[in-house]
Amino acid sequence: MEGTTAKKGSSVLEVIKALIISIILSLILVLLAALIIKVFNIKTGAIPVINQFIKGVSILCGCLFAFKGKKNNWLRGILAGIIYIVVSFVIFSLLDGSFSFGLHNLNDVALGAVTGMISGILSSLKK
């Protein structure tokens, strides 16, 4: 029984670690993207695509670096992706100074879940 508790605890810690890695990477990539957008005068229409790319890369890297086990990584990836979307929404809304809810939030949650699942599967394939 003790081994089962340790496994569940380590899974939770791995999801939290993936979340922290993803959030830190997102903050860095958003700052880098803002600099690139300003320097190269990129049109505002490209910003949503850049944001989705940043979210996907952040979730992928978080899962790849945090998940050490090989079992149920797809489920841990889904959890990490959904939690990442919620936490990043709160952080970036606080930085922006306004909260706006809409259909795009549901799309982000779905994208986070799918990206997390794929990232979890890929993390279980690494050696």
Side-chain angles (χ1 to χ4, degrees), residues 4-124:
T4 306
T5 306
K7 278 278 193 197
K8 288 180 183 175
S10 66
S11 293
V12 170
L13 289 176
E14 286 182 1
V15 170
I16 292 170
K17 186 177 176 182
L19 174 65
I20 292 169
I21 292 169
S22 298
I23 293 294
I24 291 171
L25 184 59
S26 283
L27 291 170
I28 293 168
L29 290 176
V30 164
L31 290 173
L32 183 63
L35 177 68
I36 291 171
I37 288 168
K38 182 162 177 85
V39 168
F40 293 106
N41 260 349
I42 296 175
K43 295 181 181 181
T44 58
I47 293 174
V49 175
I50 294 169
N51 286 338
Q52 293 300 338
F53 177 78
I54 289 172
K55 290 173 189 174
V57 167
S58 297
I59 293 170
L60 175 65
C61 290
C63 290
L64 288 177
F65 289 123
F67 294 167
K68 303 296 181 204
K70 302 282 186 199
K71 192 173 181 184
N72 291 331
N73 282 3
W74 64 273
L75 181 58
R76 290 189 280 169
I78 291 171
L79 288 173
I82 291 172
I83 295 169
Y84 162 80
I85 294 297
V86 171
V87 171
S88 67
F89 170 74
V90 170
I91 289 171
F92 288 109
S93 293
L94 286 172
L95 291 173
D96 186 39
S98 67
F99 286 85
S100 64
F101 296 101
L103 187 59
H104 68 281
N105 296 109
L106 293 177
N107 290 335
D108 281 349
V109 170
L111 177 74
V114 171
T115 304
M117 181 182 69
I118 293 168
S119 300
I121 291 168
L122 291 175
S123 73
S124 67

